[in-house]
Amino acid sequence: MLPLNDVDSQRLFFKRIFNSDYSCPPQLQKVSVRILIKCGGLPLAIITIASLLANKPQNTDEWERLRDSIGTGLSYESDDDGKCMRHILLLSYWDLPHHLKTCLLYLHIYPEDEYISCEQLKLKWIAEGFIPTQRGNVYQEAESCFNELVNRSLIQLVDAHVDHDGFAQYCRIHDMVLDLIISLSDEENFATALNGVCNSLPSKIRRLSLQSSGLEQKGAIHAITRSKLHVRSFNVFGETEKIPLLVDFRSLRVFDICGDYSSWKNEHIRNIGGFCQLRYLGIHRRGITELPENIGKLQNLETLDLRGSYIGKLPSTITRLQKLAHLFVDRPQLCVFCTYAS
């Protein structure tokens, strides 16, 4: 993408901060020009800085401090390696409160260019315990966290997919933002994504995302076995060649099997009743056709998402799930059961 000219840069900048193409308080006009010079006409840089300033007091000193923190600035030609853009994104990241940093880093589990369900993402945040619950409804708090990351332009809504109320159903992450998330996540050993790049696996895995069926999965099987007492989130996006025996995952809070693959079978989830901390369970694979009776032991389960699966009916033990707040199905016979059970 080519850099914007001065007029378009200013319009984009002011629109994000003041919700107007040209409106800017007189005392901020000069510093705005200096900030835009450092952004070099790059849309992502302009949007990121503007989103950061939108959450700051509108005074000259505050804006000057941010301008100074940008460094020497960047341009379309001078930032081929993305270092300057990364620095700007880091400014936005470090300005986040702790719980929003955690929510953002969780996006490491998703493959590049993935359309992410906004609803599922919020429910996974809740299941992981990322959302502060001092005030009101936890889902409303998750919604607030999501909107804050959108407002800071760290998450992009996919406008092409909206629900009947006009709200976006999916979101995505800009490639450069995702690169930063992956880097920060790796530094903190926050999440591990196996995506065909032959990652070196940490000795302790906390959150695992299987995104490919490459050779690295062989090493992952042993790593999963070693780390099973520590794994809090297990998300499967790609085909799985060798599926680990899922036993004693006592810390697992999120377990989501996505994609139209048949390698996962009923026997692979037969021990799921032992996942005593599980709060989010998503099964969207055609190879799994029934839930085990021991699912009734999941006394902490809050979300059960079976959309896209071939599961024909729910076991009667589903009624024992006292904390189940979100049940998603798309098969008529399951809907009948849900209506009856409620």
Side-chain angles (χ1 to χ4, degrees), residues 20 136 150 158 182 257:
S20 171
V150 170
V158 180
I182 292 172
I257 312 173

Side-chain angles (χ1 to χ4, degrees), residues 31-253:
V31 66
S32 295
V33 172
R34 291 195 286 267
I35 289 173
L36 284 171
I37 289 173
K38 289 202 171 189
C39 290
L42 299 182
L44 181 59
I46 295 169
I47 285 291
T48 302
I49 292 298
S51 299
L52 188 54
L53 287 171
N55 293 283
K56 299 287 186 184
Q58 293 184 9
N59 64 67
T60 306
D61 290 342
E62 189 74 34
W63 285 39
E64 288 285 5
R65 276 195 293 271
L66 181 59
R67 182 190 71 88
D68 292 340
S69 67
I70 296 174
T72 57
L74 64 162
S75 68
Y76 183 74
E77 294 83 8
S78 66
D79 197 37
D80 288 341
D81 58 2
K83 288 183 179 179
C84 295
M85 189 63 238
R86 173 186 166 86
H87 177 68
I88 287 177
L89 291 172
L90 271 172
L91 292 176
S92 184
Y93 174 77
W94 290 119
D95 189 62
L96 296 172
H98 175 73
H99 67 282
L100 286 183
K101 288 189 179 80
T102 307
C103 289
L104 186 67
L105 290 183
Y106 193 73
L107 292 162
H108 183 186
I109 71 169
Y110 291 98
E112 186 177 1
D113 298 326
E114 179 83 359
Y115 275 18
I116 303 165
S117 166
C118 303
E119 181 179 54
Q120 291 176 0
L121 177 61
K122 296 167 200 171
L123 291 173
K124 288 182 180 182
W125 284 345
I126 293 171
E128 282 268 8
F130 297 158
I131 307 301
T133 55
Q134 293 89 346
R135 302 169 296 166
N137 180 281
V138 66
Y139 189 83
Q140 292 176 350
E141 289 296 317
E143 182 82 22
S144 176
C145 292
F146 180 82
N147 290 337
E148 181 67 18
L149 291 175
V150 170
N151 290 337
R152 290 173 180 261
S153 301
L154 295 170
I155 290 178
Q156 299 174 342
L157 297 178
V158 180
D159 294 330
H161 298 271
V162 296
D163 60 19
H164 59 277
D165 293 320
F167 294 105
Q169 293 179 291
Y170 295 93
C171 62
R172 66 179 301 274
I173 311 300
H174 190 283
D175 290 347
M176 293 194 72
V177 177
L178 181 58
D179 287 344
L180 177 67
I181 289 171
I182 292 172
S183 174
L184 293 170
S185 172
D186 287 344
E187 288 176 11
E188 299 183 19
N189 191 21
F190 184 86
T192 303
L194 302 183
N195 52 19
V197 190
C198 292
N199 313 59
S200 58
L201 295 170
S203 58
K204 182 186 293 185
I205 295 176
R206 293 185 174 89
R207 297 171 184 88
L208 179 65
S209 174
L210 293 182
Q211 301 175 10
S212 74
S213 57
L215 294 175
E216 59 185 355
Q217 277 197 10
K218 295 181 179 179
I221 303 305
H222 300 292
I224 294 168
T225 304
R226 289 196 310 268
S227 300
K228 63 184 179 182
L229 296 180
H230 307 285
V231 176
R232 294 170 57 93
S233 183
F234 188 8
N235 295 267
V236 183
F237 293 96
E239 184 64 281
T240 314
E241 292 183 351
K242 185 177 180 181
I243 301 169
L245 185 61
L246 301 180
V247 180
D248 293 334
F249 279 73
R250 299 173 188 172
S251 299
L252 195 66
R253 288 170 170 253

Side-chain angles (χ1 to χ4, degrees), residues 273-307:
F275 300 175
C276 55
Q277 294 297 323
L278 195 64
R279 287 159 168 75
Y280 181 105
L281 175 59
I283 298 176
H284 317 282
R285 295 286 181 107
R286 64 189 181 194
I288 298 176
T289 58
E290 62 182 30
L291 294 173
E293 291 286 334
N294 62 23
I295 194 174
K297 296 180 180 180
L298 300 178
Q299 291 303 299
N300 288 303
L301 192 66
E302 299 166 345
T303 299
L304 177 59
D305 191 346
L306 303 177
R307 288 173 292 190

